Amino acid sequence: AEADGSNPAQLTSFGGPLVGFMNWSPDGQRLVFHARPEGQADLFEIPASGGAPKRLAAHPSDDSLPSYSRDGRCIYFTSMRSGQTEIWKMPAGSGGRPGEATQMTRTGGQMPLESPDGKTVYYGHINREKGIWKVPVQGGEEAQVTGPTSVQIGFAVTAEGIYYTAAPDARNQNFVRFHSFATGQSRPVAAAEGQFGMGLSVSPDGGFVLFTQGE
């Protein structure tokens, strides 16, 4: 669709099963997402202009919520391969061949997004009360970054901080909040009129936040 939501065009034709969260490649030429044509969640890639989807990984466990690294060389994703929902990564174009996917987290995570400087992966903890966490791109210590979230897969990372769908406040109001890397503090930036849906995105110039809300 256009930036104002006009002229929507269908890009995939799976014929019914859930097609999940998608992310752009850094060069804007490809989209990566997950779908369930055989029941389990697998990763797929298509040209941003549309075309036949290419399956990136076929593993017995659910693989979902993928995103590209900032240099386009890796794909991060959420997987149940270890028996728990964790963050994994694999080389882009590897097709998910055995041994090429590596586990990055051990305490539970989903919806990985790499920081603009390519040094850190941020992700939603599987427990919404624990908010958004981070881990170095090469793996290592996992650390909490934000307070509780409303939707674990509703956040976006910029050079200055993280926009995220926060858990309802004491008056049961839902806000998009901004967590500043410089100050370590967060502030509300937009109020939702209903409950948050999945997803959140920030425009490239940092001027707008795009989110979904239930009506």
Side-chain angles (χ1 to χ4, degrees):
E2 304 296 336
D4 63 1
S6 62
N7 301 318
Q10 182 175 333
L11 296 183
T12 63
S13 300
F14 283 93
L18 173 68
V19 177
F21 203 91
M22 54 123 275
N23 266 294
W24 293 87
S25 63
D27 61 8
Q29 300 301 306
R30 294 165 291 156
L31 301 173
V32 66
F33 60 94
H34 74 262
R36 298 176 178 270
E38 283 87 40
Q40 71 181 38
D42 287 331
L43 307 182
F44 293 85
E45 184 181 62
I46 58 170
S49 58
K54 173 186 176 184
R55 192 189 300 263
L56 298 182
H59 191 275
S61 297
D62 280 342
D63 295 334
S64 61
L65 302 171
S67 65
Y68 296 94
S69 61
R70 296 291 177 167
D71 61 10
R73 296 179 179 178
C74 293
I75 291 175
Y76 302 101
F77 61 101
T78 305
S79 182
M80 288 285 293
R81 297 182 185 200
S82 68
Q84 177 174 271
T85 303
E86 301 286 1
I87 305 304
W88 290 64
K89 72 175 178 180
M90 65 182 180
S94 70
R97 289 185 289 271
E100 293 201 316
T102 57
Q103 185 176 344
M104 298 189 67
T105 63
R106 306 289 172 179
T107 61
Q110 55 188 329
M111 190 61 212
L113 294 174
E114 190 178 276
S115 59
D117 63 10
K119 296 180 179 180
T120 307
V121 175
Y122 293 89
Y123 59 94
H125 197 278
I126 55 176
N127 181 349
R128 288 184 296 180
E129 290 297 317
K130 295 187 176 182
I132 297 166
W133 285 50
K134 66 180 180 179
V135 66
V137 295
Q138 70 272 17
E141 183 178 356
E142 304 159 43
Q144 186 172 354
V145 179
T146 76
T149 57
S150 175
V151 182
Q152 294 102 317
I153 59 174
F155 71 97
V157 183
T158 70
E160 291 74 31
I162 301 173
Y163 292 87
Y164 67 102
T165 53
D169 64 10
R171 293 178 294 177
N172 203 34
Q173 289 185 304
N174 293 292
F175 289 93
V176 174
R177 297 184 68 90
F178 174 73
H179 173 88
S180 169
F181 292 146
T183 67
Q185 303 297 312
S186 70
R187 59 178 174 83
V189 296
E193 297 178 3
Q195 292 185 338
F196 287 116
M198 295 187 295
L200 184 146
S201 185
V202 178
S203 61
D205 64 4
F208 292 90
V209 177
L210 184 70
F211 63 94
T212 58
Q213 64 183 18
E215 296 181 348

